[in-house]
């Protein structure tokens, strides 16, 4: 049986866990550690970090020969969805709920190439109306529909 | 008999106008949200939180709970009709539910799942009524020692029972606990892992994390599919809703088994409706005379998991109400709602506010009956809703997620967080790292730190109290057993694989 190839992705993921653990240990040292009997704010993160490092290394060992899978990240779709959510965050308090709604609905809808523009427009309008009615009038969220 | 007088008090509370109205609203929203794939009880509950500010705590809880168990009723609809699970707990229902649809038996499947859901729910409520007061009385004697041990048990159970890889589950628990440490430390007020950001002082938002990992993450994962999930235009005929006698007979025992399994897993902190349904399905397959029928429309395959998840949803309230320990993300959010109203969750609720506890329980009975009535005739309407194409649905879902996350803490920063966790969730799905243990670690971690610190302070650094106190010892032994069992299965599997190679 030939030596199975190394699964770099699994190892990478495991190393990410190790990195998180190391980060925790590093940060923990800047807080007071204290003793077992009188745990300071740094104690728990320190121990946790060490445990994470251990788990990460174990994971790398256990999964380093696991089978591969094709990695096909749909970048265009992701970017549009990210842009949509980011726009919502940026616009919500500055310009109001309605522009934010339109932004998130339009941008994220575009991530799927099969949606027709008229459908997108309709969704945006309907959801804006729904949003204002339910969230602002109904639930009294501290939001403004438009902020000129 | 104590229970009857308590129940009387409960029904008195629950049958007044406002609680009844909001119970109805809650279960309807719950069913609706459960039917829609991609948005679940958690999102709906988070978005309804602001509404609860205007209600008294009991009514608020009644409504939120209604959303929770209502979603379990609705979730099976999408699973059966579209092969799209409405909630995580309905994934197994797809396996035998969808084949039944293909055999034109969708109506029967829907009716059976509604009824078994009702039975499961009732059994869960009965157990809740019986056990919660018992456990609460016990829990009054709980000290930090027992709390720490039971939380550890919950985390280990979540890491090993839920997942393919216990090791990955444990790592996720660890990461979750780490995420929970972000923010101001409770006793010393030292800000940890905040990097000077004012937004992080309160810690990471649970809602943002949950909706990011599960909601946004799932949508991102679906983007990868070239063929978007579309309903087969073939008409879904609900010609006959009435199952045959044979089918009813087939559903009886699985329903009973599922209800009991579900009640157990619902009550255990760290496990919930999803695991209950997986285990129930596995058990049915194991005890069936002809396991090959599973996956092709076996009635047992839908009856048992559905009973299980509805039972679990009710018994999930047991640790939450009697101990104040959430077994599940949704429970955690509900506890948060309680705290917002100034009520400290824990065993005292049963003694200090009995009308809230028993009112809630009475509302569960009422709610389940409402759901039974709602679901059967309205199946046609739910079907219509479920046929909304996914490419129109997901932008709406993202919109609701954004608003929901924002409304939990009125903080735009959380919306950024949702995106970040969405991406993390995508990669976690890709690399098969489970998300539920992460969330549980996040919720229980900081509490565990506090209990650990308190215990060690009193014992002056000795770990003996964990082993000396009998309940704690029991929990820790159970933890060891679960860990040991997972390790054993992994080892056996690896040895078998090795043997195959040589």
């Amino acid at each position: 049986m030939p030596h199975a190839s190394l699964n770099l992705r699994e190892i990478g993921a495991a190393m990410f866990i190790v990195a998180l653990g190391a980060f925790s240990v590093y940060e923990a040292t800047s807080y007071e550690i204290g003793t077992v009997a009188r745990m300071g704010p740094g104690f728990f993160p320190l121990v946790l970090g060490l445990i994470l490092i251990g788990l990460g290394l174990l994971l790398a060992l256990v999964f380093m020969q696991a089978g591969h899978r094709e990695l096909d990240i749909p970048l265009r779709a992701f970017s549009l969805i990210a842009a949509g959510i980011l726009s919502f965050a940026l616009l919500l308090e500055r310009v109001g709920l309605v522009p934010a709604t339109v932004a998130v609905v339009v941008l994220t809808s575009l991530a799927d190439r099969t949606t027709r523009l008229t459908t997108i427009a309709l969704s945006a309008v309907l959801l804006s109306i729904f949003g204002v009615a339910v969230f602002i009038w109904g639930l009294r969220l501290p939001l403004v529909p438009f902020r000129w | 008999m104590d229970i009857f007088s308590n129940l009387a008090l409960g029904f008195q509370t629950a049958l007044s106008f406002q609680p009844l109205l909001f119970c109805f609203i809650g279960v309807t929203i719950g069913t609706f949200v459960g039917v829609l794939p991609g948005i679940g009880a958690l999102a709906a509950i988070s978005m309804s939180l602001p509404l609860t500010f205007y209600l008294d705590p009991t009514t608020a809880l009644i409504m939120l709970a209604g959303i929770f168990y209502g979603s379990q009723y609705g979730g099976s609809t999408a699973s059966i009709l579209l092969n799209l699970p409405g909630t995580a707990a309905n994934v197994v229902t797809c396996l035998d539910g969808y084949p039944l649809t293909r055999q034109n038996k969708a109506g029967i499947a829907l009716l059976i799942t509604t009824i078994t859901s009702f039975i499961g729910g009732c059994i869960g409520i009965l157990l809740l009524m019986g056990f919660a007061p018992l456990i609460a009385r016990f829990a009054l004697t709980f000290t930090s020692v027992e709390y720490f041990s039971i939380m550890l048990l919950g985390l280990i159970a979540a890491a090993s029972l839920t997942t393919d890889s216990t090791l990955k589950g444990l790592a996720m628990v660890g990461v979750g606990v780490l995420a929970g440490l972000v923010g101001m430390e409770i006793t010393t007020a030292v800000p940890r892992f905040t990097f000077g950001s004012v937004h992080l002082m309160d810690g990471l938002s649970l809602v943002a994390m949950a909706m990011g990992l599960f909601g946004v993450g799932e949508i991102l994962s679906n983007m990868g599919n070239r063929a978007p999930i579309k309903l087969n235009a073939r008409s879904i005929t609900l010609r006959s809703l009435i199952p045959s006698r044979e089918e009813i007979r087939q559903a009886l025992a699985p329903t009973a088994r599922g209800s009991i399994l579900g009640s157990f897993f619902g009550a255990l902190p760290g496990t919930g409706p999803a695991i209950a349904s997986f285990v129930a399905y596995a058990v049915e397959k194991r005890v069936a005379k002809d396991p090959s029928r599973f996956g092709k429309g076996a009635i047992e395959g839908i009856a048992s998991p559905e009973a299980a998840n509805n039972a679990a949803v009710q018994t999930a309230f047991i640790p939450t109400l009697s101990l104040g320990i959430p077994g599940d993300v949704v429970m955690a959010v509900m506890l948060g709602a309680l705290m917002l109203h100034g009520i400290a969750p824990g065993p005292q609720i049963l003694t200090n506010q009995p009308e809230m506890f028993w009112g809630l329980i009475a509302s569960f009975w009422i709610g389940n009956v409402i759901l039974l009535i709602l679901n059967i005739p309205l199946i046609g309407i739910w079907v219509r809703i479920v046929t909304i194409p996914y490419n129109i649905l997901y932008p709406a879902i993202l919109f609701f997620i954004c608003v929901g996350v924002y409304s939990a803490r009125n903080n735009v920063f959380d919306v950024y967080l949702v995106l970040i966790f969405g991406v993390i969730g995508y990669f976690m799905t890709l690399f098969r790292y489970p998300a539920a243990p992460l969330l549980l670690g996040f919720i229980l971690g900081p509490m565990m730190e506090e209990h650990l610190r308190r215990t060690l302070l009193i014992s002056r650094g000795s770990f003996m109290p964990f082993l000396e106190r009998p309940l704690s010892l029991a929990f820790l032994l159970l933890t060891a057993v679960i860990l040991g069992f997972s390790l054993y299965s992994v080892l056996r599997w690896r040895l078998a694989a090795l043997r195959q190679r040589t």
Side-chain angles (χ1 to χ4, degrees):
Chain A
M1 176 76 192
H3 201 76
S5 55
L6 280 182
N7 187 331
L8 287 170
R9 282 183 212 128
E10 288 282 354
I11 298 182
M15 283 304 120
F16 183 68
I17 309 258
V18 171
L20 278 177
F23 166 69
S24 181
V25 169
Y26 175 69
E27 278 293 310
T29 51
S30 56
Y31 312 120
E32 190 189 310
I33 307 233
T35 61
V36 178
R38 288 172 146 265
M39 281 169 46
F43 194 92
F44 205 73
L46 179 68
V47 174
L48 181 65
L50 292 171
I51 294 178
L52 273 174
I53 293 179
L55 282 173
L57 291 172
L58 256 176
L59 274 165
L61 261 147
V62 167
F63 282 93
M64 67 181 176
Q65 296 190 338
H68 263 269
R69 216 151 19 140
E70 271 316 305
L71 194 63
D72 182 22
I73 304 180
L75 279 175
R76 179 181 169 273
F78 274 27
S79 320
L80 280 167
I81 292 184
I85 299 181
L86 283 173
S87 314
F88 183 88
L90 286 167
L91 293 174
L92 182 66
E93 284 179 343
R94 291 197 186 95
V95 194
L97 178 63
V98 174
T101 308
V102 172
V104 72
V105 172
V106 169
L107 284 170
T108 55
S109 297
L110 290 173
D112 179 307
R113 278 178 235 246
T114 67
T115 322
R116 289 203 300 242
L117 286 175
T118 44
T119 318
I120 299 179
L122 194 61
S123 288
V125 168
L126 285 174
L127 284 172
S128 300
I129 299 177
F130 182 85
V132 172
V134 172
F135 297 122
I136 299 187
W137 294 337
L139 297 179
R140 316 274 181 91
L141 288 181
L143 290 172
V144 186
F146 291 101
R147 189 192 297 276
W148 292 136
Chain B
M1 280 247 293
D2 222 6
I3 288 206
F4 285 126
S5 59
N6 282 324
L7 262 184
L9 173 63
F11 275 105
Q12 206 178 12
T13 319
L15 283 174
S16 30
F17 179 65
Q18 224 194 21
L20 201 57
L21 174 67
F22 281 97
C23 178
F24 182 78
I25 293 178
V27 300
T28 311
I29 296 179
T31 312
F32 181 68
V33 153
V35 167
L36 284 177
I39 197 168
L42 182 60
I45 291 178
S46 312
M47 284 190 264
S48 312
L49 270 179
L51 177 61
T52 63
F53 296 157
Y54 300 101
L55 302 170
D56 70 274
T58 308
T59 311
L61 264 190
I62 288 179
M63 184 182 88
L64 295 180
I67 298 180
F68 187 41
Y69 56 85
S71 69
Q72 293 306 322
Y73 276 83
S76 44
T77 309
S79 314
I80 294 175
L81 294 176
L82 283 186
N83 207 23
L84 257 184
T87 69
N90 300 110
V91 170
V92 243
T93 316
C94 295
L95 296 173
D96 277 275
Y98 189 58
L100 280 168
T101 303
R102 309 271 284 293
Q103 295 163 28
N104 267 329
K105 289 192 188 165
I108 296 176
L110 288 170
L111 184 69
I112 289 189
T113 49
T114 305
I115 295 186
T116 57
S117 297
F118 180 71
I119 297 178
C122 288
I123 294 185
I125 301 176
L126 281 170
L127 288 169
L128 175 62
M129 287 196 321
F131 280 107
L134 218 75
I135 297 182
R137 218 172 303 150
F138 239 133
L140 286 169
T141 65
F142 268 30
T143 60
S144 290
V145 178
E146 282 87 4
Y147 276 114
F148 178 82
S149 303
I150 200 176
M151 287 182 191
L152 187 65
L153 171 62
L155 286 180
I156 304 290
S160 10
L161 299 175
T162 346
T163 66
D164 307 316
S165 163
T166 306
L167 203 50
K168 287 187 177 176
L170 287 173
M172 286 297 100
V173 166
V175 173
V177 173
L178 182 60
L181 294 178
V182 173
M184 211 147 50
E185 203 263 308
I186 300 185
T187 32
T188 57
V190 167
R192 292 190 294 191
F193 299 105
T194 55
F195 309 111
S197 159
V198 126
H199 296 294
L200 290 176
M201 285 281 232
D202 266 328
L204 295 170
S205 158
L206 169 66
V207 174
M209 205 185 265
M211 304 243 241
L213 288 176
F214 290 115
V216 179
E218 184 185 317
I219 292 181
L220 288 176
S221 302
N222 285 329
M223 287 295 121
N225 303 345
R226 271 317 141 84
I229 310 137
K230 266 205 186 90
L231 170 62
N232 43 352
R234 206 175 43 193
S235 58
I236 301 171
T237 50
L238 297 174
R239 191 149 302 147
S240 72
L241 276 180
I242 318 284
S244 67
R245 186 160 302 182
E246 168 71 23
E247 281 153 348
I248 297 182
R249 209 179 45 81
Q250 281 178 334
L252 281 175
T255 307
R257 281 191 286 263
S259 306
I260 298 182
L261 273 170
S263 303
F264 173 68
F265 282 105
L268 195 62
T271 57
I275 297 139
S277 62
F278 297 155
V279 174
Y281 189 79
V283 165
E284 285 310 311
K285 222 171 157 181
R286 198 69 66 88
V287 301
K289 289 193 191 92
D290 181 13
S292 65
R293 282 167 43 241
F294 280 74
K296 298 190 198 130
I299 299 283
E300 299 91 317
I302 51 171
S304 183
E306 279 302 312
N309 65 26
N310 280 72
V313 150
Q314 306 297 163
T315 55
F317 281 92
I318 297 182
T320 311
L321 292 175
S322 59
L323 295 173
I325 299 178
D328 176 86
V329 186
V330 177
M331 289 292 125
V333 175
M334 276 201 243
L335 277 184
L338 263 181
M339 290 198 274
L340 278 169
H341 284 270
I343 300 183
Q348 346 63 282
I349 292 190
L350 275 106
T351 38
N352 295 355
Q353 269 120 345
E355 69 287 344
M356 174 154 80
F357 178 75
W358 292 102
L360 191 61
I361 296 201
S363 80
F364 289 172
W365 286 112
I366 300 174
N368 272 284
V369 170
I370 295 179
L371 281 164
L372 188 65
I373 301 175
L374 257 188
N375 273 283
I376 299 182
L378 293 190
I379 282 179
I381 299 189
W382 302 129
V383 169
R384 212 74 47 81
I385 292 178
V386 139
T387 63
I388 302 176
Y390 189 68
N391 59 351
I392 301 182
L393 207 53
Y394 80 81
I397 294 175
L398 282 170
F399 165 65
F400 284 121
I401 289 181
C402 285
V403 181
V405 160
Y406 173 80
S407 62
R409 297 204 303 191
N410 283 338
N411 191 344
V412 170
F413 180 74
D414 293 342
V415 182
Y416 296 119
L417 265 183
V418 132
L419 179 59
I420 295 175
F421 279 111
V423 176
I424 295 178
Y426 171 77
F427 282 108
M428 278 171 61
T429 310
L430 207 58
F431 286 104
R432 317 262 299 233
Y433 278 81
L438 195 153
L439 277 161
L440 266 152
F442 175 73
I443 297 166
L444 295 178
M447 290 195 251
M448 286 176 69
E449 182 187 14
E450 270 323 293
H451 289 301
L452 184 65
R453 167 179 295 146
R454 202 170 301 159
T455 308
L456 289 175
L457 194 63
I458 298 178
S459 73
R460 276 181 255 243
S462 158
F463 282 92
M464 287 312 287
F466 292 112
L467 300 172
E468 279 163 7
R469 297 189 59 119
L471 263 180
S472 166
L473 181 61
F475 295 142
L476 290 176
L477 279 175
L478 196 53
T479 310
V481 164
I482 294 181
L483 258 181
F485 183 69
S486 325
L487 237 109
Y488 171 69
S489 357
V490 168
L491 270 170
R492 234 177 47 165
W493 178 78
R494 284 201 170 257
L495 280 171
L498 252 161
R499 218 169 287 145
Q500 255 189 346
R501 283 206 209 140
T502 55

